[in-house]
Amino acid sequence: TIVAHKTTKETYLFKEINFPDRDDYKKALKHYEAIKVKPFENVLNLIQLENQSKSMFCSEIYRLSLVYEFSQITLAEEI
């Protein structure tokens, strides 16, 4: 989802990922934390990473919220 900051009007890419399994959640969290610390050269930068867990009646849901920089220029325009 493309979102705009309320005050600065900057555009970002927002993504939420839900995990029913704790092990998959922990692997993904570790992966995205590594990307945030050492980003890839040719990939949009991960600006913000939030994690949370929600207890449901019989289970627990794990959620990662990711905010990436958003480029207004397409790859075709860049080339």
Side-chain angles (χ1 to χ4, degrees):
T1 307
I2 298 171
V3 296
H5 192 276
K6 288 182 181 180
T7 55
T8 64
K9 306 296 184 206
E10 290 184 74
T11 306
Y12 299 99
L13 179 64
F14 177 77
K15 182 176 182 178
E16 278 189 345
I17 309 170
N18 293 317
F19 298 90
D21 181 61
R22 182 182 173 101
D23 291 335
D24 291 341
Y25 164 76
K26 290 227 176 224
K27 286 179 193 174
L29 180 60
K30 187 180 263 189
H31 171 76
Y32 286 111
E33 285 175 338
I35 288 174
K36 189 167 184 196
V37 171
K38 188 172 189 261
F40 295 108
E41 184 178 324
N42 298 326
V43 179
L44 297 174
N45 289 326
L46 178 60
I47 297 171
Q48 187 173 350
L49 170 65
E50 293 184 6
N51 59 332
Q52 62 180 328
S53 61
K54 285 186 176 182
S55 293
M56 305 303 270
F57 179 68
C58 293
S59 64
E60 198 160 1
I61 299 290
Y62 304 93
R63 176 179 291 158
L64 288 178
S65 299
L66 311 167
V67 179
Y68 286 95
E69 69 181 352
F70 181 75
S71 177
Q72 300 288 345
I73 301 172
T74 65
L75 182 59
E77 292 170 343
E78 187 70 28
I79 295 174

